[in-house]
Amino acid sequence: MRLNNIKKMGLVKTEIFTDLQNEIALFAKVFGHPARVAILQHLFKINACYCGDLVNEIGLAQPTISQHLKELKHLGLIKGNVEGTSVCYCINIANWTKMKETMVQFLNQDISIIEDCC
Amino acid sequence: MRLNNIKKMGLVKTEIFTDLQNEIALFAKVFGHPARVAILQHLFKINACYCGDLVNEIGLAQPTISQHLKELKHLGLIKGNVEGTSVCYCINIANWTKMKETMVQFLNQDISIIEDCC
DNA sequence: CTATTAAATCGTAACATTGCGATTAAACAA
DNA sequence: TTGTTTAATCGCAATGTTACGATTTAATAG
């Protein structure tokens, strides 16, 4: 159920974990930076926007925003469309939904637990 | 709505983001490693277990597991109880539930979006 | 063609993360 | 007290991440 071309995790010993565990970690990792959280929130809010809008909105330098957009795009969560000299970014709903299912299932593990053990 | 003593994010310019954005990023970051995903899944599955069990179950060295447990504990998602020479770990359900609410709300941002823009 | 504009890429400094061997600390047993 | 067991901590090597100035690329305007 992986989305786009999923990259390796460097030092992490991915081979000793299941595909699902690695997939959850990769999705979570991309949310593990407030700039990427902010980019996604903004894209959801205004539906589509240019890279430059995000630079103004968020307040990080253009190369930094570009780098964060690249990571989101690489995981398949956003799409970028060239319009003249600008690039219009928006959420990839189909992939977002797939990702959401995986993550919500992970977060809902607690439904069978009644109370703490210790 | 933050749980435990939340730490800074190093190079990350946290001050330009909202508390919620930083909180989502911190939660996501802790899930951003398959070992921590595996630890949480195992704790949910068997309800409580010793550090040594996790070392056998997961296959990373004891200091490495100990370090991952420390991060989960620091965020408040697990509790550790000393029992003789062992330490029994389990999920902190109350904090897990709070975290889940925050994350699910973030993941459900897509409910208003009908289709892709570009 | 020559600007101009917008965004990607390059290069790099500062810092963080991962993993583990070695050691320490704490509880208990004999 | 002296082992033994279990887990935390220390220290460090290898690698990743973040941020941004400088540069390049690509599209368009004049």
Side-chain angles (χ1 to χ4, degrees):
Chain A
M1 216 271 277
R2 44 189 48 170
L3 307 183
N4 268 9
N5 29 344
I6 290 206
K7 67 171 178 179
K8 281 279 297 164
M9 284 188 84
L11 258 191
V12 179
K13 291 190 162 181
T14 46
E15 68 280 5
I16 68 171
F17 302 103
T18 67
D19 284 354
L20 181 61
Q21 287 162 346
N22 284 315
E23 192 177 44
I24 290 168
L26 280 168
F27 284 141
K29 216 174 164 200
V30 91
F31 300 137
H33 193 293
R36 292 189 291 266
V37 171
I39 287 171
L40 290 165
Q41 286 177 332
H42 199 247
L43 288 181
F44 273 120
K45 192 171 149 202
I46 69 166
N47 210 29
C49 78
Y50 300 106
C51 176
D53 297 339
L54 290 163
V55 173
N56 294 327
E57 176 74 17
I58 292 174
L60 288 170
Q62 178 267 320
T64 309
I65 295 293
S66 214
Q67 202 178 324
H68 286 305
L69 286 168
K70 192 179 173 184
E71 285 175 69
L72 289 166
K73 197 175 167 187
H74 198 248
L75 249 194
L77 296 179
I78 64 172
K79 291 193 272 188
N81 222 304
V82 179
E83 293 182 10
T85 59
S86 300
V87 178
C88 176
Y89 282 98
C90 68
I91 304 288
N92 183 325
I93 299 290
N95 284 347
W96 179 274
T97 305
K98 283 191 225 162
M99 174 281 297
K100 194 170 82 172
E101 276 165 20
T102 302
M103 295 307 282
V104 167
Q105 199 157 5
F106 172 71
L107 294 169
N108 274 333
Q109 279 175 106
D110 58 341
I111 46 170
S112 57
I113 302 279
I114 313 301
E115 55 183 329
D116 301 359
C117 67
C118 43
Chain B
M1 217 269 276
R2 44 190 46 171
L3 306 183
N4 267 10
N5 28 346
I6 291 206
K7 66 171 177 179
K8 280 280 297 166
M9 285 190 82
L11 259 190
V12 178
K13 291 189 162 180
T14 45
E15 67 280 5
I16 68 171
F17 302 104
T18 67
D19 284 354
L20 181 60
Q21 287 163 345
N22 284 316
E23 191 177 43
I24 290 168
L26 280 168
F27 284 141
K29 215 173 164 200
V30 92
F31 300 138
H33 192 294
R36 292 189 291 266
V37 170
I39 288 171
L40 290 165
Q41 285 177 332
H42 199 247
L43 287 181
F44 273 120
K45 191 172 149 203
I46 69 168
N47 209 29
C49 78
Y50 301 107
C51 175
D53 298 339
L54 289 164
V55 173
N56 293 328
E57 176 74 17
I58 292 174
L60 288 171
Q62 179 266 320
T64 309
I65 295 292
S66 213
Q67 201 178 324
H68 286 305
L69 286 168
K70 192 178 172 184
E71 285 175 69
L72 289 166
K73 197 175 169 189
H74 199 247
L75 248 194
L77 296 179
I78 66 172
K79 290 192 272 189
N81 221 306
V82 178
E83 293 182 10
T85 59
S86 301
V87 178
C88 177
Y89 283 99
C90 69
I91 305 288
N92 183 325
I93 299 290
N95 284 348
W96 180 273
T97 305
K98 282 191 226 162
M99 174 282 296
K100 194 169 81 171
E101 276 165 21
T102 302
M103 295 307 281
V104 168
Q105 199 158 6
F106 171 72
L107 294 169
N108 275 332
Q109 278 175 106
D110 58 341
I111 44 170
S112 57
I113 301 279
I114 312 301
E115 55 184 329
D116 300 359
C117 67
C118 45

